[in-house]
Structures are given as C-alpha cells and as structure tokens.
Amino acid sequence: VRVENRKKVHHFENFVFAAADNDSEEQSEKIVPGAWRDDLPAYSAAEVAEHNSLSNGVWVFYANGVYDISEFVRQHPGGADKIMMAAGSSIEPFWALYAQHRCDEVYEILEQWRIGNIEVQASASRAEASDDDAMFANEPDRHPAFKVNSPRPFNAEPPPALLVDRFVTPNAIFFVRNHMPVPPRVDAERYRLSIETQDGRCVSLSLDELRRLFRKRIVTATLQCAGNRRSEMSAQRQVRGLKWGTTAISNATWGGVLLSDVLAHFDLATPGELSFKLAHVHFYGADHDGAGTHYAASVPAEKVLRDGGDVLLAYEMNGAPLPPDHGFPLRAVVPGHVGARNVKWLERVVLADAEVDSHWQRKDYKALSPSIDWSVADDQDFADAVSIQELPVTSAICSPPPGAVVDASEQDYVSVQGYAFSGGGRKIIRVDVSANGGRTWHSAKLVRSVHDEDVPLHPHDFGANEADSDAARMVAAAYLASPDSNRYAWTLWSVDLDIDQDNTNDRTVELCVKAIDEAYNSQPDSIDPIWNIRGLLNNAWHRVQISIVHSD
Amino acid sequence: VRVENRKKVHHFENFVFAAADNDSEEQSEKIVPGAWRDDLPAYSAAEVAEHNSLSNGVWVFYANGVYDISEFVRQHPGGADKIMMAAGSSIEPFWALYAQHRCDEVYEILEQWRIGNIEVQASASRAEASDDDAMFANEPDRHPAFKVNSPRPFNAEPPPALLVDRFVTPNAIFFVRNHMPVPPRVDAERYRLSIETQDGRCVSLSLDELRRLFRKRIVTATLQCAGNRRSEMSAQRQVRGLKWGTTAISNATWGGVLLSDVLAHFDLATPGELSFKLAHVHFYGADHDGAGTHYAASVPAEKVLRDGGDVLLAYEMNGAPLPPDHGFPLRAVVPGHVGARNVKWLERVVLADAEVDSHWQRKDYKALSPSIDWSVADDQDFADAVSIQELPVTSAICSPPPGAVVDASEQDYVSVQGYAFSGGGRKIIRVDVSANGGRTWHSAKLVRSVHDEDVPLHPHDFGANEADSDAARMVAAAYLASPDSNRYAWTLWSVDLDIDQDNTNDRTVELCVKAIDEAYNSQPDSIDPIWNIRGLLNNAWHRVQISIVHSD
C-alpha cells in the first residue's frame, strides 16, 4: 500500500549499510550479483528449499548465488512477510515486481549474506507441468507467489499483503481464473476476431486492423471473480466451487479499442442503438473443453452501447501485450462487471436478443436465495435468478493476516491495510475498520479514491519496471490526462488502530472492515443471509482475528 | 398490492348484495348517493367524528349522507384497515383514490347503511391552517390519510397499507417533504425558468416554450427522502431530524422535458460535454426561508448529460399538472437519486464547476460514519463526507403493521406486502422475507420488476381516476411503448408465509425483509453499523413484530 511504502522509504534511508568483506572496491564499480564463486560450497535446490523458515534458517538464491538471510528478514524494509515469500527459493520472481531492488546498494546488501552457489535449472518448476495431457500443453510459467486453488485448469490468487502493495497489480501476480486449459498461442499475424449480428451480417478483423482503424482507449479496471471470498462462505455452510481466499481480485490498466467504435465503424450498431433485437452482446473465447464447448458469456447491450459504452476489446495489460493467462491476443474488458464476463482469448462477438446460452451465463454465476440448497435447487431456480453483471460493494483486510501476533510491548497500534471495490463504476467513499468486531469504527485513509485525486500515479503502477517500460509510461501519461480515471478501479486503504494499553491481558481481537460506495450501499454484516449454494458474491464484512500479546 | 387486489376481486364477486329498504326500484335506475333525505335526522361533523372506532361505532359521511358502517367494516373487500382510515370523517378523499367505488353497486351498498344527514362544510379542516403566519399562506389542502410529521413546513407520509396498494402513487397521497413554506402559486403564463452558465450566458424560458420547443418525455420514478425510516434509527440511538416512518417514499409517472435537450438547444451544453468547468448542475427553488435563502441542491453534470441524461424538467405528475406540494409549475426530477435533489418550484438552473453552496448540499444529506456523534462532529466531517446522490437498496414491510394480531385458528398463513427500491436505475431482482428474524427466508412475488414484464399496467396506475383521465391514459400508453420503462420505479412485493400449525402457543414473530438489486447489493443486517447523526439512509433490514394467537 502506498501509505506503507512511504513509511518504509523512511526506514530504508535509515538502513545501516555494512560493506561486504570481499573486494568491495571493485563491487562498488560494477556488481555482478549471484556470480559463481569458487571459494564457496555448492548446494542443490533441494537443500536450499529445506531452509524456508526462521527455525530452519531462511535461504534464498539469486542467479548462481545462495544466501542465508535469516538475520536480515526482520530488517527487510518491505517487511518480513514479503521477503519470507521467497524463503527456500529464488528471489528473482519477487524482485521482478519491485524495481527498487535493481540497484547496486541492494546487490551489495545481498552479497554480504552469501554462503554458496547453486546450479540454476532454468525450468525446474516447469518440468512438473509435463505434457501427459495434451489439453494442458499451453500453460505458461506462473509466479511462485501464487496460492494455487486448482492446477488444471489453472486458478490462483496472489498473497494478500503483496496484492495491496500496488494500486495497479503487476501482470505476473494478477489473479488467474481459467475455466479450461489455456488455448494454443495464436500467431498475432493470423489472428482474426469475428463480429456477427443475428440477421447474418459479419465482419472479421485482424489485430493489426483493430489497432490501426480505431483510437486506443485506456481504462484502469479492477476484475474480481464472483467466487472471491468463497472459503469464508463455505466455512459457514458448505458450498460448491474453488476455495478462493480474499484475493481473487486484481487491478490493471487495460489498453484496447472500444467495442462500440468497432460496431459503429462497420455499421453493425451505433452508440445508443438498443432494442429488443439488440439486447445482449455475446463473447466467445478460444478456450474449450475438448468436446466442442467454448467458454462464452454475455453482457447487456446497454453496457456496450449506451453513451459509447466502456467495453474494451483489450490487447494490452499494464502496457504489455496480454499474457497467455489473461487472454492473448485479445480479451473483453467489461469494467465494473464480474470477472466472468471479461472473456479471454476472444474469438467471436455476437449481437443478440437474449443472453448467451452457455453454462456460465445461464446456470453458473447466479446467486440464489439462501433458502435454496443443493437438495432442492432445480433448473427453474437457476432460470429465475438474474445473471451477475455489476458487482456489489466489497472490501477485505489484506494485512495483518489471520492469526497474526502483535506485541503490544513493542508497538501501541496495529496497522491494517486492504482493498475496497464496488461495481458499475461506483467509487468507494468510506472504509470503516473496527478492532472490536464491529462495535466501534474508524475511518481508513483511502488512496486512489475521490479523496486523493492529488496523489499522482507512479509509472511503476503501470508496470514500468516490466519489459515494455516506455509503453507503460505512455499508458500512464494518457491515463492521467483523462478525468475521472479511477471510476472502475479499486480503492486501497490503510489505518493504524490504537491498542488499548490499559488492557495488559493477552487477547484475541477481531478486526473487521466494511466499505461504503458512492450510492451509499454498504456491506451486509454477516454471511448467512447472503449464503448461496455456489458460494458467490460473499461481500459480508471481512473479519480477521489476531492476537495481542505483551512480551514484557 | 396487485396480488391482494386479485384476491379481493374474488371476495368481491362473492359479496352478497342486500337491497336497500327504501325505493330500490328508482335507485337502480339512477342513484344519487348522499342526497339530503328529509326522513332522517341531521348530525354535526363533531357528532360523526366521535364515531371513529369499532367500540364507539364507525360512522362516515359522503356528500350530505351520514352512514353507520360498523357492521360493514369487516366485509369491506379492500380490507378493514383501509376503510377504518375514514372512520369518523368523509370517505370521499379515499374513494378519490379508488375509481372502482364509483359505480351504482357500491352506491347502493353505501345507502343501505344510511342513518342521517350532515351539513357539509367544504373547508372544515382547512380552517385550521389559518393565516396567522403570512409565510404559510399558500399551503394547499392535504389528504386526511397523511401522517403529519411536521405541519409547518409540511412533511407527511401516507399510511403504509394504502401506499403499496398501487404501483403508481396517487398524487393526493404522495409523501410530502417541504423544507420551507409552499411558495405563492405562480401564474403559469408569467412563469420563467432561467438557465445560466458560469461564463455569464443565460436563457429564460416560459412554461409554454418548454412544452412547445421540446419533445415530451415520460419517466416513472420513485422518490425517497433520505430520512425515510429515521424513526427506527433514532430508536437505536437518538438522531436529529423529522421522525419519518417507512413511507417517505412514493412512485409517480412524471412528464416533462429532458434538461439535456434544453441545454443542447440553446448551445449551453451538449450531451456528453463534461469537463472540470461543467461538473455540477445547480437547482434553485422558489421556496425560501423569508430571509433570502432559497432551497437549492445540485447533481453531478454527468447525470444530466451522459448519453442525453435522464433528468427531467417535469411539469406533470401522473398526467396532471404538478400539485402545489410537488412543485407547481416545474420541478427537477432526478430519477434514482435522493429526493432532496429533485428540487420543486424550480426557478433557476446553473451549470457550474462545483456543488451548490447550500446547506442542503454541503451540510445536510450526507451520512457520516457511525463513530461520529454530535459531540465531535465538526465542519470538516461534513466537508469530507460525500453528498447523497444515488440511493442504496432498501425495502420495507407495509402490511401487516407492527403489533398486528393474526389468529392461527382462522388462517394458516400471514400475508406480507411491501416495497423495495434501489437507486441509480438498478432494478430489484429478489426480495427475501423471513418470519423468524432472519434465520430462514422466503422469496416474495415481485410485481413491476424484471420478472413480470408481461403484467400490463392499468390506466389507474397513471391516475386515470383523477381529474385529467385522458391525459393519464395517453401518458400510460406512451410509457408502455418504451422499453425498460420501470428502471427507476420501485418494486412492490407480496408473500404468504405459512404459520407453523404444530406450534399452538401464542407467540410473537419477527417478520423481516431485505431486497437484492441487480448489482447484487443487499441491505445491511442491522442499524448500528450504518447509524449516523442525521439518521439518513436507514436501509437495514426492516423488522416488524406481530402476534400469532389461537382463538380456539
């Protein structure tokens, strides 16, 4: 979180640099971190992996270097929880998220903890994804920080504390919700998108034509899976579905063209042209189940056409081409709507009079009444329910994690961070946080909200530390020039809650959070009244229990 | 409610008509109800007023006729609660709401209960509103059914059971929320509306020009006071404000012109033209405090201009000119937004870069955090809070009333009716009703919702039993021709809940209701977490306690 970052920059300046023992003069000119050193022993990846806790020692590797950072963990300016994510493995995927590590000062600090060498096996972890199933031959490498809820099809969410570190989520840790295997990578030169009407008109477009014929549009939009926070709902009463924690949600800046511009250009529909015949827009993905069923979902045509709409055919994510897990080469981005409508690997768009006849539109992604359980649910119940489109207001605590222990002898406050979001472009106007289960509330500081329009975005927020940094900077500039640019983005928040120092008993405290959006919708207090058999849209207050102890 | 009406029609058909004793043959040709009869005694209004309960006898009058309807009350097809509203007074204001009473069959039934004559004093009740205060010289007559929360300025709400009888609320019982005295009635020929920009451009328009130059637009929109259901909130912890019950909400079909059409015509702003300079639209009313302060409120310019907007300059309410209490001759109608922005007696519109600098925009109609009470609230708290615009999802039980007694020996179900509504054009997709305080839920039948698009509207719904019935029918026809016509209207609902016949103990049951809108926003379970010092936007579950008894 930005607030935390500011605090940590202060710590960083105070950090006492101790020069490495060896050859410090040459290093200060040009450090080559992780270069093989014949004076040190060699370790296997398995040996490093055993050292993944404070009790066993914390080892990491970088290039060919092995480091014992046990003593450094608590000094880490970014917090012990972040650096521990790399314990026993490579720190490179994490440093890829944080450009500030790429400087000589940091390399020097790293090298002072050097204990050995490792033979780097570039594809060690990838070997697991062996090709015993041809369907899954196209899965890309994924970031080791992910918590994987399903390996096939791949569904994974990032660590909460890492997620809220950035307003714009780096592509590498953006949550992944795949319904089927990742389809074969298409040749961007040969890719075609087809757009069809029900009266038989059709156009077919190349990626180059999309880029060349239409003005590029940018939108920062938070996507959230309808199943986010399903685990909590399932803990109350069993539901069916992937056991998502709190981070099946991420925020990116998408680049592409307005679908309404394309429809108008080919005279398939003009902005504002809505009728009974053109009431829904269907999106079909290239991903399929091997038996002919492609992923498909639809949105009301109004979302596409009203006032030019804001549905993108997106070819960029944070200034880079879409990664394989996020729909390369093209996806629908439907800002403010549930993730399931943002169809990836987009192949086909159909203008229609009714919702698409797919499982994901007609049977799934509908929240039934809490009174309907699997023993009574029938087709009529699903037919009667309304498809999830715009998302309800929600929020979650991302730090501290459940079970965290805070030593009241060391600090007189608990720092709490998280996200809040509402669908339909409704901004978050207030986030209330409680340290006593909801009896009394404190307003959190909001970042990237209606209240902080003067806080500038940083190029890092647009992936500028990733491959295509010039493009990312251009995206950032274009984005900043547009008013009301954060309508569809989440709000990050932070608050320091005082610890009652008169109470010296060790105790458990329930933190909870609820957000209020600009329509003054707020979150339901409890899960039971919104429980549904598929465990969708759990937006009850998020509750985290932590311990307050007194070490002295 | 429609569902109840259907049921009652069935009762009505079974109603046994007993011919009146006197002169039945002539009456069957042409009944003149309430004509003076020299064969019967005369009573004063005071004498009739004493008979206003089942224990004292229930008398009513109609024209010059006095009737003892004590025995008829329980047979009344519309329910005993409705007819008792007229006990001790004239039934005419109530029959004005129900055109079905205007037929010979009903007149004959009435005349059979005739006991005397009354000298009708046309303005008996109006005399109270004497002119001791010149400021209040322009108050109109009001319907006797109103529950008056403040006589001056006039603030009143209709009886809950009467309100949900109709999808479109008759003008006579539409809730009234006046901030100041009703201004003097303007001559419609001399009235002018001024529209101004901040760079000094201005146009002035007559009512005739508005009607003549611009296409008439119709919208059915529910208006709700931000203080609706404040009494419940105040019962939890004292708040400041008028003690509204559950019916500071009503639904009408408004006729007028689109503000965006007017702005475009005079080149003051074109649809979609939004900028930092044109960010808010101010509305000023003719009503004032006598010291120069006029009522004023503003809305985001986007609501007026995006996609042509849907903000009306309305001159008609349910097919009739605006009544004095509702802003004659012109008001703003901002569908989906809080009542306070629907400025009445509209005199002046200003296009501006900031919200209007009025008490009602900057200090009132903002819901602060529950942690802020009057002892700590300061100007900064109000400045930091966001003005209420779109309303959050809400619902209420309108029948049975709190404290109702249901005899389980007579019926094995409780029939529950009410309304549900959400702001911003978000339709209601489900209403959950519980008879055990929220442990289990039943889905109510919705009327005028996404689920009942095939249920036709009736001309009565547009005030066709009121003065200007041809106009009302035209309004209804035009309205029905437009798709998605109920976006900004409330949803009425009805459900019959089974009474557990195995439990023969007399007991108290807590009914409660919560609604879900199409963004799957639902209502907070309890009031405390949304409590605020002004008692605004209480949209917690509505709870009503009733008694179940067993008479046998």
Side-chain angles (χ1 to χ4, degrees), chain A residues 271-272 274-276 302 305-310 365-372 383-393 422 426 429-430 432 438 440-443 450-451 482-484 487-488 514 517-530 537 539 541, chain B residues 271-272 274 276 302 305-310 365-372 383-393 422 426 429-430 432 438 440-443 450-451 481-484 487-488 514 517-530 537 539 541:
Chain A
L274 295 166
S275 68
F276 292 112
E302 183 174 30
L305 293 173
R306 189 173 148 90
D307 199 38
D310 39 22
Y365 297 118
K366 295 182 169 192
L368 304 187
S369 156
S371 65
I372 301 173
D384 287 347
V386 171
S387 301
I388 300 170
Q389 294 286 354
E390 287 185 4
L391 288 163
V393 61
S422 189
R426 289 179 287 283
I429 63 167
R430 205 178 75 232
D432 294 336
T440 55
W441 300 93
H442 304 267
S443 296
V450 287
H451 291 294
S482 70
D484 199 28
R487 165 186 292 274
Y488 290 113
K514 63 182 172 77
D517 73 15
E518 65 183 341
Y520 275 93
N521 276 303
S522 60
Q523 301 177 229
D525 311 18
S526 56
I527 292 174
D528 274 348
I530 56 168
L537 299 180
N539 72 329
W541 301 355
Chain B
L274 296 167
F276 291 112
E302 182 173 31
L305 292 174
R306 189 172 147 91
D307 200 38
D310 39 24
Y365 296 118
K366 294 183 169 190
L368 304 188
S369 156
S371 65
I372 301 174
D384 287 346
V386 171
S387 301
I388 299 170
Q389 294 286 355
E390 289 185 3
L391 288 163
V393 61
S422 189
R426 289 179 286 283
I429 62 167
R430 203 176 78 231
D432 294 337
T440 57
W441 299 94
H442 304 267
S443 296
V450 286
H451 292 293
S482 69
D484 197 29
R487 165 187 292 273
Y488 289 114
K514 63 181 172 79
D517 73 14
E518 64 183 342
Y520 276 92
N521 276 303
S522 61
Q523 301 177 228
D525 312 18
S526 58
I527 292 174
D528 273 349
I530 57 167
L537 299 181
N539 71 329
W541 302 355

Side-chain angles (χ1 to χ4, degrees), chain B residues 185-201:
Chain B
R185 187 177 182 88
V186 303
D187 181 344
E189 302 298 309
R190 297 176 62 179
Y191 167 83
R192 311 289 296 182
L193 172 73
S194 79
I195 306 179
E196 302 160 30
T197 66
Q198 285 199 317
D199 60 5
R201 286 173 295 155

Side-chain angles (χ1 to χ4, degrees), chain A residues 273-296:
Chain A
E273 177 185 326
L274 295 166
S275 68
F276 292 112
K277 283 192 177 169
L278 173 46
H280 298 268
V281 176
H282 302 179
F283 300 117
Y284 291 85
D287 48 333
H288 63 85
D289 64 357
T293 300
H294 281 245
Y295 184 78

